[in-house]
């Protein structure tokens, strides 16, 4: 988030307090960002967003630009199976559900594609995502190496119009400058030059070389 | 039958231990692992001391254990401990094994076990401590520990309700653990440097744990440590039973007060973290019935904290200092950055906190860099920072985003080339910040730094 506000002079960040009406429902926001939280935080967020479900759905259909990372994508699926008999009901905007395994944390690297852009990132999470209904929703990334929505799935994340969601940490935009530039272009920002772009690209190129090297383990 | 199995496990473990020690090896893990493999009930069956103090938490548990062991030993108590070994189940099994007679009965009456937070789940069903000390719960490695609320749940679920807790009341998270267990709190009064808003990137307690309302801090030390309250429901940090006040880093003293009076102690170290560690040890000793005067005398006669600054040496015009900074632990690195950048004089830094094990096996998850306060490193006394090692480019970019002026930064993937990028300003210091698994590499970088420092001094 910080990266984008620094890239775009005069960018304004509106933070929505929990349980308040999300700002992007009423005003034209260029990008709405929602990040990772604890398991308790997820339950709080799910109940805090529930009253706005239909409006959020309508805004996504209208092309509102939303980026959800870490475990935030799960909030937009049907529910989270906590693995202990409990369930967290989510917004149900996508035909997927998540399942936690609190004794086994998944740690892995990720290499994938966003259209023609190479994506790198990390995963560190208790849960994975299962696809329940195959409608016309796209995945955000195509998997080249590593786990998708769940290990073995070739699709990572969720995408509908300008709604984008992925488990990837990085931070996603920081470790993927070409993706961040594409996002700025799509948002119609005056510039898509990133701060310290050269240093960002050097780190990205080095990581890409490493992740493509078959000798590099991917974990899981 | 299972008793025989236990005796076999004990004897084989003891034999292994004897052989390993004869070979000069550290027998603090494998004999325990072997005994557990032969007899999965080993922990339950092994003889245990009557008094067991278990110390866990994200930071400071090793230091607190060392202090308690030192203080008890001064008082003639023979202490069973896992100080030289591992803080996992196998490490504690190895320690119990070494403390058992051949019959399986314990030779010790007192034990102090440093316990990894996640190990409590496997340990407490069988080895029930009398006291559990929790130093604090912070974000640690995201890959290993996820987040502190998760770790707190792991400990809470494992905790028998007979255990008395010794807790940090300045940590609004861990101080709330297991409300039905008996407990005492320790805490440090407001300090001159305390703030009210969080200046750190990691802040694990934004919301009231009772009602999810926004928490307000009367004062805040770092991250979520401080005195918190909730304006909506009235939740507030507990009051300390063992309270450190008048903490004075110039005079190097602090006063500890409790229900029986107060006592002035000489501080063992100039960091706030260690003031907490010392206070924690005092609280434990007081709980065990020792008097302030005696505890103070034991500190004065040499129970102390080994310096985390290691191998401080003059070379050419500068002082070269090795300082460990646990990589992938954003909070530990933030504390080190804050400490180093506030030392007096001009400083140059070499950063080699890369995880060498990850670099061999796969590639380090560097997302922790963005939870870590690299912003401390833009302070003026720091004239040069060299990012080195496999993740040098990631550090370099992070430092730029933190606002460190580009002209102060250099980047070198081969670690041993890093010293050549330093300026060696007269009277300044060079800090080598290295990861927990990189001490051998850090020593080579340090040697090279000293060599280059001598050369540049003579050529001036
Ligand atoms: Zn409250």
């Amino acid at each position: 988030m910080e990266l984008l506000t620094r890239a775009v002079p005069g960018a304004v960040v509106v933070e929505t307090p929990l349980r308040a009406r999300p700002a992007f429902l009423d005003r034209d926001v260029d990008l709405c960002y929602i990040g990772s939280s604890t398991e308790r935080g997820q339950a709080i967020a799910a109940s805090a967003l529930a009253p706005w479900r239909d409006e959020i759905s309508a805004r996504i259909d209208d092309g509102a630009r939303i980026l959800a990372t870490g475990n935030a994508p799960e909030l937009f699926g049907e529910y989270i199976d906590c693995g202990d008999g409990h369930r967290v009901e989510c917004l149900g905007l996508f035909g997927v559900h998540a399942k936690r395994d609190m004794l086994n944390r998944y740690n892995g690297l990720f290499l994938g594609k966003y259209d023609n852009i190479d994506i790198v990132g990390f995963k560190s999470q208790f849960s994975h995502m299962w696809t329940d209904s195959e409608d016309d929703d796209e995945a955000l990334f195509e998997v080249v190496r590593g786990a998708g929505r769940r290990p073995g799935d070739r699709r990572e994340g969720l995408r509908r119009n300008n709604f984008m969601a992925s488990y990837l940490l990085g931070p996603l935009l920081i470790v993927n400058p070409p993706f961040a530039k594409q996002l700025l272009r799509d948002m119609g920002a005056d510039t898509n030059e990133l701060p310290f772009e050269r240093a960002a690209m050097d780190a990205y190129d080095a990581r890409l070389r490493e992740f493509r090297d078959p000798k590099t383990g991917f974990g899981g | 039958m299972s008793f025989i199995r236990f005796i076999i496990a004990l004897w084989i473990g003891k034999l292994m231990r004897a052989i390993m020690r004869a070979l000069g090896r550290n027998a603090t893990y494998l004999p325990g692992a072997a005994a557990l493999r032969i007899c999965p009930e080993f922990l339950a069956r092994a003889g245990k001391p009557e008094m067991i103090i278990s110390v866990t938490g994200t930071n400071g548990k090793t230091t607190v254990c060392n202090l308690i062991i030192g203080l008890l030993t001064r008082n003639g108590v023979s202490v069973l401990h896992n100080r030289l070994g591992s803080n996992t189940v196998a490490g504690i099994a190895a320690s119990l094994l070494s403390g058992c007679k051949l019959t399986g009965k314990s030779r010790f009456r007192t034990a102090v076990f440093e316990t990894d937070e996640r190990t409590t789940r496997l340990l407490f069903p069988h080895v029930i401590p009398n006291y559990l000390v929790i130093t604090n719960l912070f974000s640690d490695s995201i890959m290993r520990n996820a987040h502190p609320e998760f770790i707190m749940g792991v400990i809470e679920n494992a905790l028998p309700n007979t255990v008395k807790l010794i807790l940090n009341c300045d940590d609004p998270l861990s101080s709330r653990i297991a409300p039905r267990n008996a407990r005492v709190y320790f805490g440090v009064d407001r300090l001159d440097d305390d703030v009210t808003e969080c200046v750190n990137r990691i802040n694990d307690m934004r919301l009231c744990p009772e009602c999810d309302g926004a928490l307000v801090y009367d004062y805040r030390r770092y991250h979520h440590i401080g005195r918190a309250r909730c304006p909506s429901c009235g939740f507030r940090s507990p009051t300390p039973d063992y309270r450190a006040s008048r903490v004075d880093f110039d005079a190097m003293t602090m006063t500890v007060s409790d229900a029986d009076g107060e006592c002035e102690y000489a501080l063992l170290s100039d960091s706030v973290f260690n003031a907490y560690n010392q206070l924690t040890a005092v609280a434990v000793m007081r709980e065990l019935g020792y008097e302030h005067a005696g505890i103070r005398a034991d500190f004065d006669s040499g129970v102390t904290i080994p310096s985390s600054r290691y191998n401080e040496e003059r070379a050419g015009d500068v002082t070269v200092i090795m300082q460990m900074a646990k990589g992938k632990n954003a909070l530990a690195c933030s504390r080190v950055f804050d400490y180093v950048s506030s030392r007096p004089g001009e400083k140059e830094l070499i950063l080699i906190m890369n995880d060498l094990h990850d670099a061999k096996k796969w590639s380090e998850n560097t997302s922790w860099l963005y939870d870590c306060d690299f912003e401390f490193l833009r302070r003026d006394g720091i004239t040069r920072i060299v990012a080195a090692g496999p993740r040098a480019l990631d550090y370099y970019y992070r430092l730029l985003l933190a606002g460190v002026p580009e002209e102060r930064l250099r980047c070198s993937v081969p670690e041993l080339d890093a010293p050549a990028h330093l300026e060696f300003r007269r009277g300044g210091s060079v800090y080598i910040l290295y990861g927990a698994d990189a001490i051998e590499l850090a020593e080579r970088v340090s040697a090279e730094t000293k060599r280059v420092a001598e050369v540049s001094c003579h050529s001036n």
Side-chain angles (χ1 to χ4, degrees):
Chain A
M1 212 54 223
E2 229 176 300
L3 183 77
L4 295 184
T5 51
R6 283 166 62 165
V8 184
V12 179
V13 178
V14 185
E15 286 192 35
T16 304
L18 198 71
R19 300 205 187 280
R21 185 179 162 84
F24 78 99
L25 294 179
D26 302 315
R27 48 196 281 192
D28 245 343
V29 176
D30 295 308
L31 177 74
C32 168
Y33 173 77
I34 170 163
S36 243
S37 66
T38 64
E39 289 71 36
R40 189 173 80 98
Q42 274 191 308
I44 297 172
S47 77
L49 290 175
W52 321 109
R53 182 203 180 272
D54 293 341
E55 286 176 80
I56 293 172
S57 177
R59 293 288 284 126
I60 291 173
D61 291 342
D62 288 351
R65 203 171 296 281
I66 299 175
L67 177 64
T69 64
N71 60 15
E74 297 176 350
L75 297 174
F76 298 87
E78 302 283 349
Y79 64 93
I80 301 165
D81 174 345
C82 304
D84 58 0
H86 290 86
R87 239 166 99 140
V88 175
E89 294 303 327
C90 298
L91 293 175
L93 304 181
F94 289 83
V96 296
H97 74 272
K99 194 171 167 186
R100 287 182 196 150
D101 176 358
M102 296 303 288
L103 290 179
N104 291 296
R105 195 162 172 81
Y106 174 88
N107 286 300
L109 308 182
F110 180 89
L111 176 63
K113 288 271 188 194
Y114 174 83
D115 301 332
N116 286 318
I117 299 174
D118 291 303
I119 298 291
V120 290
F122 309 98
K123 288 191 169 196
S124 187
Q125 60 202 54
F126 286 119
S127 46
H128 293 290
M129 195 178 270
W130 272 258
T131 308
D132 302 320
S133 70
E134 309 278 349
D135 42 26
D136 51 358
D137 288 319
E138 293 175 71
L140 183 59
F141 303 130
E142 177 198 331
V143 178
V144 176
R145 291 184 76 185
R149 291 176 184 170
R150 63 189 167 90
D153 197 329
R154 306 311 294 164
R155 299 161 300 184
E156 161 54 23
L158 306 167
R159 184 180 184 182
R160 182 184 296 161
N161 301 323
N162 294 320
F163 173 92
M164 297 182 286
S166 166
Y167 275 124
L168 291 194
L169 309 172
L172 182 61
L173 299 178
I174 298 257
V175 297
N176 289 288
F179 179 61
K181 287 169 75 71
Q182 181 62 47
L183 189 62
L184 285 171
R185 242 189 316 268
D186 293 344
M187 284 162 63
D190 299 337
T191 166
N192 76 340
E193 184 77 17
L194 299 173
F196 312 110
E197 185 166 318
R198 169 97 189 273
M201 285 304 294
D202 287 347
Y204 169 77
D205 289 337
R207 182 166 284 112
L208 199 54
R209 269 197 306 279
E210 229 178 294
F211 283 22
R212 279 177 174 158
D213 183 345
K215 289 200 293 292
T216 302
F218 258 59
Chain B
M1 181 57 205
S2 45
F3 179 73
I4 295 173
R5 204 185 171 104
F6 162 69
I7 289 291
I8 293 171
L10 176 68
W11 289 7
I12 289 179
K14 279 193 170 288
L15 184 67
M16 263 181 85
R17 185 176 137 84
I19 294 171
M20 287 176 73
R21 285 165 63 96
L23 294 172
R25 300 260 305 278
N26 199 351
T28 52
Y29 180 85
L30 284 179
L36 282 168
R37 172 156 286 202
I38 297 166
C39 174
E41 293 171 28
F42 185 82
L43 286 175
R45 293 193 166 266
K48 283 150 215 118
E50 294 144 32
M51 171 59 69
I52 300 178
I53 299 155
S54 183
V55 181
T56 193
T58 312
N59 293 96
K61 51 186 179 289
T62 307
T63 304
V64 168
C65 279
N66 286 343
L67 290 176
I68 301 170
I69 295 164
L71 291 166
L72 286 171
T73 306
R74 289 254 158 184
N75 285 277
V77 179
S78 162
V79 184
L80 180 67
H81 59 75
N82 59 338
R83 185 159 92 175
L84 302 171
S86 147
N87 60 13
T88 60
V89 167
I92 291 167
S95 176
L96 284 172
L97 181 143
S98 74
C100 276
K101 301 179 202 165
L102 288 175
T103 57
K105 297 250 184 316
S106 183
R107 289 186 285 117
F108 290 83
R109 300 181 62 174
T110 305
V112 175
F113 291 134
E114 176 183 331
T115 311
D116 177 82
E117 301 90 284
R118 292 187 313 168
T119 296
T120 54
R121 185 170 69 86
L122 304 170
L123 187 71
F124 288 170
H126 314 297
V127 182
I128 303 176
N130 304 69
Y131 290 97
L132 173 65
V133 181
I134 304 180
T135 55
N136 48 54
L137 288 176
F138 286 125
S139 292
D140 197 331
S141 155
I142 182 184
M143 299 174 64
R144 223 171 65 79
N145 278 5
H147 54 82
E149 212 174 282
F150 164 69
I151 290 299
M152 178 158 135
V154 170
I155 300 172
E156 195 162 51
N157 289 337
L159 193 67
N161 56 18
T162 54
V163 180
K164 185 163 186 184
L165 300 168
I166 300 180
L167 302 171
N168 182 346
C169 70
D170 299 336
D171 177 356
L173 189 64
S174 67
S175 62
R176 287 177 40 79
I177 197 166
R180 283 183 308 184
N181 283 55
R183 64 193 53 224
V184 288
Y185 296 107
F186 58 87
V188 176
D189 262 8
R190 185 170 194 143
L191 302 173
D192 292 343
D193 292 339
D194 287 344
V195 291
T196 49
E197 292 307 315
C198 189
V199 298
N200 306 105
R201 298 176 79 89
I202 294 183
N203 175 13
D204 287 315
M205 286 291 289
R206 294 165 205 269
L207 301 185
C208 170
E210 299 284 347
C211 75
D212 303 330
L215 276 185
V216 175
Y217 276 76
D218 292 335
Y219 54 85
R220 190 194 279 277
R221 204 139 288 146
Y222 32 67
H223 308 279
H224 65 266
I225 297 295
R227 260 201 103 62
R229 64 187 159 81
C230 171
S232 355
C233 78
F235 162 82
R236 55 174 56 248
S237 299
T239 311
D241 301 281
Y242 299 97
R243 168 168 162 256
S245 56
R246 300 196 282 279
V247 180
D248 183 339
F249 288 110
D250 296 320
M252 289 295 281
T253 55
M254 70 171 172
T255 302
V256 179
S257 47
D258 57 39
D260 293 339
E262 60 173 48
C263 177
E264 188 177 86
Y265 285 86
L267 284 170
L268 301 176
S269 147
D270 60 357
S271 76
V272 184
F273 250 102
N274 280 328
Y276 271 104
N277 292 334
Q278 189 176 0
L279 171 66
T280 311
V282 171
V284 171
M285 293 303 283
R286 294 284 297 136
E287 282 295 305
L288 295 176
Y290 292 88
E291 299 290 334
H292 278 299
I295 304 170
R296 179 171 72 179
D298 292 335
F299 279 128
D300 291 345
S301 63
V303 175
T304 191
I305 296 171
S307 173
S308 71
R309 289 161 65 161
Y310 165 72
N311 196 358
E312 177 168 332
E313 271 184 68
R314 294 281 310 167
D317 292 330
V318 298
T319 307
V320 179
I321 300 156
M322 284 168 61
Q323 170 92 43
M324 189 170 67
K326 265 199 221 162
K328 291 201 294 190
N329 181 330
L331 193 130
C333 285
S334 296
R335 302 310 334 134
V336 170
F337 291 169
D338 190 9
Y339 179 81
V340 168
S341 63
S342 57
R343 296 293 92 192
E346 290 188 319
K347 296 159 287 276
E348 300 185 75
L349 272 54
I350 295 177
L351 304 185
I352 47 169
M353 291 101 69
N354 309 270
D355 191 306
L356 300 179
H357 177 73
D358 280 359
K360 254 184 243 150
K361 202 176 93 195
W362 49 349
S363 181
E364 181 179 328
N365 179 336
T366 51
S367 58
W368 70 273
L369 298 179
Y370 291 86
D371 294 328
C372 180
D373 300 311
F374 278 79
E375 286 72 11
F376 286 127
L377 299 182
R378 61 180 179 221
R379 287 180 185 157
D380 268 343
I382 298 177
T383 56
R384 170 71 33 100
I385 303 174
V386 187
R391 301 265 64 92
L393 293 166
D394 294 315
Y395 285 79
Y396 184 80
Y397 180 40
R398 175 69 185 92
L399 287 158
L400 286 171
L401 287 174
V404 180
E406 201 163 350
E407 62 275 12
R408 290 188 202 162
L409 294 176
R410 296 291 183 275
C411 194
S412 156
V413 173
E415 290 93 345
L416 288 174
D417 294 350
H421 294 287
L422 298 173
E423 298 175 295
F424 299 106
R425 296 192 185 190
R426 186 180 296 273
S429 308
V430 175
Y431 283 85
I432 299 165
L433 270 49
Y434 63 98
D437 67 348
I439 181 145
E440 189 262 345
L441 171 70
E443 274 166 351
R444 281 188 287 137
V445 173
S446 171
E448 175 64 9
T449 304
K450 284 178 260 182
R451 192 189 66 77
V452 182
E454 300 282 359
V455 172
S456 80
C457 166
H458 290 133
S459 60
N460 279 346

